[in-house]
């Protein structure tokens, strides 16, 4: 379907633009260049005032005055005669009036039934105690009291009237309290690591979410020269790839750290690969946990992890849930082999 405004443009399809430009004089070409410096007719995203020359014949009436413009528009609207309605307005309601349907009233009639003469005579001559026993046997406990029901049911089970109850009670819910915050003093611990405090063997920064990234990198830098810290844990501290790279640089130098925990952080496959590359040369770390990161590490990272575990015989515990079957099997076999080697050395040492 051809739009109406495009019908008049068909006659310009076969025009030779070079021929038209060749017929222009030097003054016309300079004038065209001057116009094209300020306008861009090919850019459809610009408003019309920036794509073509102003062709308004009316002179400007002065600066823009919003109040005068609104007053003029209001005056024009009041002077303009309203269009007459083709159908005159009448207060006539069309359609049917909604009448809700009446629901039929259900009536119940009592059923009349007759009992055997012997049964009717037995019920007529029964005492209240006998009727209560009968109601309890039939399961109609709402017709008798708790004490009457206890006489029938409770006494047979050895339950007295004080402890007997036919009401089912729910179990009491035990309150679950929030985990207490981590009491570790970050600044003091960092200074003790820098001072190589011999009493500081384990550093636990878990769940401290307000530690700046530069401070976490300072921890990794301080551990490069520390000779007493054996366990370093910073799970759920919002650590990212720069922190992982700093820890990788630390693992290449540190020879005392035995355990590292960086679970539940924002480390991606790039940071994990840096740690894996550093662990190929580390011979002291025996336990590392990297599970539950914000993003999945990917197949490439898992293959490199499995390859590293096969080459590193010192790692005995590796905390990570593999998503691929191949790397998972290789990692499990490598960890089993490393533990067997440790067990073998221990047995030989005992002998």
């Amino acid at each position: 379907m051809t739009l109406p405004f495009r019908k008049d443009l068909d006659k310009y399809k076969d025009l030779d633009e070079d021929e038209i430009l060749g017929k222009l004089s030097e003054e016309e070409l300079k004038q065209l260049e001057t116009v094209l410096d300020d306008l861009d007719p090919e850019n459809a995203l610009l408003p019309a005032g920036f794509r073509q020359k102003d062709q308004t014949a009316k002179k400007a009436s002065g600066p823009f005055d919003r109040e005068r413009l609104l007053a003029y528009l209001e005056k024009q609207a009041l002077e303009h005669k309203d269009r007459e309605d083709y159908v005159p307005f009448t207060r006539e309601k069309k359609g049917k009036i909604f009448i809700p349907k009446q629901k039929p009233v259900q009536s119940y009639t009592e059923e009349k039934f007759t009992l055997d003469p012997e049964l009717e005579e037995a019920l007529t001559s029964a005492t209240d105690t006998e009727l209560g026993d009968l109601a309890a046997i039939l399961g109609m406990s709402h017709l008798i009291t708790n004490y009457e029901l206890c006489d029938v049911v409770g006494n047979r089970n050895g339950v007295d009237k004080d402890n007997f109850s036919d009401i089912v009670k729910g179990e009491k819910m035990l309150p679950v309290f929030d985990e207490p915050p981590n009491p570790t003093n970050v600044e003091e611990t960092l200074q003790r690591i820098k001072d190589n405090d011999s009493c500081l063997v384990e550093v636990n920064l878990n769940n401290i979410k307000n530690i700046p990234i530069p401070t976490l990198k300072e921890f990794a830098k301080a551990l490069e020269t520390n000779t007493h810290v054996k366990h370093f844990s910073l799970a759920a501290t919002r650590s990212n790839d720069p922190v992982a790279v700093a820890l990788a640089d630390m693992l290449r130098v540190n020879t005392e750290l035995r355990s590292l925990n960086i679970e539940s952080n924002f480390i991606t496959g790039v940071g994990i690969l840096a740690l894996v590359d550093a662990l190929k040369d580390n011979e002291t770390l025996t336990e590392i946990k990297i599970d539950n990161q914000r993003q999945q590490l990917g197949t490439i990272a898992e293959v490199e992890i499995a390859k590293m575990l096969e080459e590193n015989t010192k790692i005995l515990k590796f905390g990570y849930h593999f998503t691929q079957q191949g790397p998972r099997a290789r990692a499990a076999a490598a960890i089993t082999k490393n533990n067997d080697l440790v067990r073998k050395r221990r047995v030989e040492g005992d002998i």
Side-chain angles (χ1 to χ4, degrees):
M1 178 181 178
T2 305
L3 298 177
F5 69 90
R6 290 189 176 182
K7 293 181 179 179
D8 298 335
L9 301 179
D10 294 338
K11 59 183 178 181
Y12 299 107
K13 286 184 178 180
D14 301 331
L15 288 179
D16 189 357
E17 298 176 356
D18 296 333
E19 182 181 354
I20 296 175
L21 291 174
K23 295 180 180 180
L24 296 178
S25 62
E26 294 184 1
E27 296 180 357
E28 292 174 340
L29 289 175
K30 291 182 179 179
Q31 183 180 1
L32 180 61
E33 292 179 359
T34 305
V35 173
L36 292 178
D37 288 341
D38 300 330
L39 304 177
D40 188 2
E42 300 296 335
N43 192 350
L45 300 178
L46 293 177
F50 293 95
R51 284 187 282 129
Q52 63 181 6
K53 189 177 180 181
D54 187 9
Q55 302 177 11
T56 306
K58 183 179 178 181
K59 296 182 180 180
S61 58
F64 175 72
D65 189 348
R66 182 175 182 275
E67 299 298 332
R68 286 185 59 189
L69 177 60
L70 293 177
Y72 175 77
L73 294 176
E74 185 176 357
K75 179 182 176 183
Q76 288 289 102
L78 294 175
E79 293 178 355
H80 183 72
K81 186 178 179 181
D82 294 338
R83 177 176 59 84
E84 296 183 359
D85 294 336
Y86 295 106
V87 180
F89 173 73
T90 57
R91 296 182 178 275
E92 178 183 358
K93 293 183 179 180
K94 297 182 179 181
K96 298 181 181 180
I97 300 176
F98 173 72
I99 301 176
K101 296 181 179 180
Q102 298 292 337
K103 294 183 179 180
V105 180
Q106 296 180 357
S107 59
Y108 299 95
T109 57
E110 296 183 358
E111 297 181 1
K112 295 182 179 181
F113 56 90
T114 57
L115 299 175
D116 294 336
E118 296 179 359
L119 182 57
E120 187 173 358
E121 182 180 358
L123 291 175
T124 304
S125 59
T127 61
D128 294 340
T129 303
E130 293 174 345
L131 291 176
D133 295 345
L134 181 60
I137 294 172
L138 296 177
M140 304 171 67
S141 58
H142 60 281
L143 299 179
I144 58 178
T145 63
N146 276 356
Y147 293 107
E148 294 174 344
L149 183 62
C150 179
D151 292 336
V152 181
V153 180
N155 290 340
R156 292 183 299 178
N157 299 328
V159 181
D160 56 2
K161 293 183 178 180
D162 296 332
N163 299 326
F164 180 80
S165 176
D166 62 337
I167 300 175
V168 179
K169 296 182 179 180
E171 296 182 359
K172 185 178 181 180
M173 299 297 295
L174 298 178
V176 179
F177 299 100
D178 294 336
E179 185 178 353
N182 193 331
T184 304
N185 189 322
V186 178
E187 299 297 334
E188 179 183 352
T189 305
L190 178 58
Q191 188 60 40
R192 292 178 64 186
I193 295 176
K194 291 180 179 180
D195 297 340
N196 201 12
D197 188 354
S198 60
C199 298
L200 185 61
V201 179
E202 181 177 358
V203 177
N204 182 3
L205 304 177
N206 293 347
N207 300 318
I208 305 179
K209 302 184 183 301
N210 57 353
I211 304 178
I213 297 300
T215 304
L216 293 174
K217 296 170 71 174
E218 287 185 21
F219 273 98
K221 188 67 176 178
L223 286 173
E224 293 181 2
T225 57
N226 189 281
T227 58
H228 295 94
V229 175
K230 305 295 183 183
H231 307 277
F232 185 59
S233 180
L234 41 79
T237 55
R238 301 179 184 272
S239 300
N240 53 10
D241 287 341
V243 178
V245 173
L247 291 173
D249 296 337
M250 178 269 297
L251 291 175
R252 291 188 176 92
V253 181
N254 188 288
T255 58
E256 299 296 333
L257 194 65
R258 298 291 183 269
S259 174
L260 178 63
N261 183 4
I262 56 173
E263 290 181 332
S264 303
N265 283 304
F266 299 157
I267 302 175
T268 63
V270 177
I272 297 299
L273 287 176
L275 286 171
V276 168
D277 186 62
L279 288 173
K280 292 179 180 179
D281 302 326
N282 187 286
E283 296 183 355
T284 57
L285 195 71
T286 60
E287 180 182 2
I288 181 172
K289 298 179 180 179
I290 62 172
D291 200 13
N292 195 28
Q293 300 299 329
R294 187 67 176 271
Q295 299 179 0
Q296 291 187 357
L297 303 184
T299 305
I300 298 177
E302 291 189 358
V303 171
E304 292 297 325
I305 290 172
K307 183 178 179 182
M308 179 272 299
L309 292 175
E310 291 173 346
E311 297 176 357
N312 190 323
T313 60
K314 302 297 182 180
I315 296 180
L316 306 179
K317 296 181 180 179
F318 189 80
Y320 176 70
H321 179 72
F322 289 86
T323 58
Q324 302 296 327
Q325 179 63 28
R328 184 191 301 121
R330 292 174 58 186
I335 294 295
T336 303
K337 183 188 69 174
N338 293 348
N339 283 274
D340 289 341
L341 291 175
V342 173
R343 189 180 303 107
K344 184 178 180 180
R345 295 193 197 102
R346 184 171 62 250
V347 172
E348 291 176 354
D350 293 340
I351 295 174

